[in-house]
Amino acid sequence: MPLVRNEVKTTDLDRRIVAALQLNGRAPWGTVARHVGASESTVLRRAAQLTESRQLRVIGVVDVLRCGLGVPVLARFKTRPGTAAAVADALAARPDVRYATVLAGSADCAAEFVLPSYGDIAGLQENGFPAAEAIRDAETFAVMRTFTSNHDWDSGELTPDAVAELRGGDVRPFEEQHWERPPEQLDELDLAICAALGEDGRLPFKEVSRLVGTSESTVARRVDSLVRRGCLRFRTLAEPAMFGYALEFMLWLSVVPGELDRAGQQLAAHPGTKYLSATTGRFNLVGQIVLRHYGELYRHTTDVVGALPGLREADVTLQVSTLKRAWAPTPAATLEDA
């Protein structure tokens, strides 16, 4: 299994820099420096080193549901002994998979597919998953609503005032603001701008304008519109371990339908909840949770999960190695096998 190479030892300052960028991926470096307590030149140098070592990356991410470009479908797999890593590698290699992880527990790996439509779920199952010979069982869960996502997560490193300024005035979960509206329509220029920012979310608008063949002012207006309409978000990719979260796991819950919304809102409000969606299938609430150490898992299970209204069933699968997040390979996936 790939090993994570830690070429740059992270410091408290590094964590604050990444935390600021998680709150606002395109925050000016001067603003970041003010909130992390360092000079702008120091912030620039440390951010460059973290980027070079693949511990930090800011990308623009299109909301596929918001823009009618696809539907997210979660899948969990049981594999033959000793094949989980190979199956996860094969899943991560697919262009329609934006998240892939190796698990420990009742499932051995999980992935998030983005398919053209919900009708394509049947085709996915009929045509076979990658490394199908190693898969003993597979379940799919279509996402109905996202209560909170990794874009909304606050690592807790910065002060409330810094969080409020970096995020802006409206800090409600992103999906809560937009999920019930009809999909937006993107034209070719919108898609080209999103593609450029998908490679580098901090790319200056002047450089974006050169790549897409329009003026800098037009790019600025389009990006502002895309963000305001909920089509484009800026995601800062960094592993939770950087912030001292030693444990990451997926939570699979079955909740009485009449309590699904209340249970989702309640769990989404917990500071350890990075992602939470209502889904179809045996489990209708699926989340990704981080905790600072393994000893917190018992209390989270009894006090947080156990307190959810309408809970019928709960399953915890520990994330052993995550290979892909938001379409991008993680540090663990970019190294050669040991």
Side-chain angles (χ1 to χ4, degrees):
M1 184 179 297
L3 298 178
V4 177
R5 179 175 54 203
N6 188 16
E7 292 182 344
V8 176
K9 185 176 180 180
T10 56
T11 65
D12 289 342
L13 174 59
D14 295 332
R15 288 189 287 275
R16 293 195 298 273
I17 292 171
V18 177
L21 293 174
Q22 281 191 316
L23 296 166
N24 183 349
R26 287 189 66 88
W29 289 119
T31 302
V32 174
R34 176 162 52 83
H35 286 301
V36 304
S39 68
E40 186 172 343
S41 60
T42 297
V43 167
L44 281 166
R45 184 178 69 253
R46 292 304 299 174
Q49 291 173 335
L50 291 169
T51 301
E52 177 66 24
S53 65
R54 296 183 177 271
Q55 296 179 80
L56 169 65
R57 186 182 177 190
V58 179
I59 59 174
V61 178
V62 175
D63 187 307
V64 292
L65 269 178
R66 186 80 198 97
C67 300
L69 299 176
V71 294
V73 176
L74 297 168
R76 53 181 260 158
F77 304 90
K78 293 180 181 178
T79 66
R80 299 189 184 282
T83 64
V87 171
D89 283 339
L91 289 166
R94 287 182 60 124
D96 58 356
V97 168
R98 66 177 174 187
Y99 175 81
T101 186
V102 179
L103 302 173
S106 61
D108 300 305
C109 54
E112 183 185 33
F113 293 80
V114 175
L115 304 178
S117 71
Y118 290 121
D120 292 291
I121 298 175
L124 182 68
Q125 295 169 328
E126 291 172 3
N127 297 330
F129 293 98
E133 69 284 351
I135 296 174
R136 296 186 299 161
D137 185 48
E139 290 182 273
T140 55
F141 307 86
V143 173
M144 298 187 293
R145 179 193 174 181
T146 301
F147 290 97
T148 191
S149 72
N150 289 278
H151 307 275
D152 306 309
W153 186 61
D154 176 7
S155 63
E157 290 287 326
L158 301 180
T159 66
D161 287 344
V163 172
E165 181 178 339
L166 286 163
R167 273 189 169 169
D170 194 344
V171 296
R172 288 182 300 139
F174 178 89
E175 299 282 355
E176 186 179 306
Q177 303 172 49
H178 299 285
W179 73 281
E180 288 184 318
R181 299 182 193 174
E184 296 282 344
Q185 298 296 317
L186 304 189
D187 62 22
E188 290 186 6
L189 180 57
D190 289 330
L191 292 171
I193 291 171
C194 289
L197 293 171
E199 291 298 317
D200 180 359
R202 291 191 64 87
L203 200 63
F205 288 161
K206 183 177 182 179
E207 180 63 18
V208 176
S209 70
R210 185 188 67 79
L211 292 172
V212 303
T214 190
S215 68
E216 184 177 351
S217 60
T218 297
V219 169
R221 285 196 304 272
R222 289 293 186 107
V223 171
D224 179 70
S225 174
L226 288 165
V227 171
R228 182 167 32 82
R229 290 183 289 146
C231 301
L232 176 67
R233 290 173 282 180
F234 293 98
R235 171 83 181 272
T236 297
L237 299 174
E239 293 301 292
M242 176 178 288
F243 302 107
Y245 292 94
L247 183 67
E248 186 173 14
F249 60 93
M250 295 194 72
L251 194 56
W252 311 82
L253 305 177
S254 175
V255 177
V256 173
E259 296 285 7
L260 184 58
D261 192 66
R262 194 155 68 99
Q265 298 285 0
Q266 187 170 313
L267 184 56
H270 187 275
T273 303
K274 289 186 65 185
Y275 167 88
L276 186 69
S277 281
T279 61
T280 62
R282 177 166 64 101
F283 298 110
N284 58 1
L285 200 58
V286 179
Q288 295 172 27
I289 316 294
V290 291
L291 298 174
R292 294 203 175 272
H293 55 80
Y294 185 78
E296 294 180 349
L297 181 57
Y298 178 76
R299 285 300 176 195
H300 186 277
T301 302
T302 59
D303 299 353
V304 178
V305 177
L308 294 176
L311 183 66
R312 295 188 296 196
E313 183 181 356
D315 185 30
V316 172
T317 53
L318 304 182
Q319 292 179 223
V320 178
S321 177
T322 299
L323 305 180
K324 198 174 187 180
R325 300 182 193 268
W327 308 107
T330 66
T334 57
L335 302 177
E336 295 181 356
D337 289 348

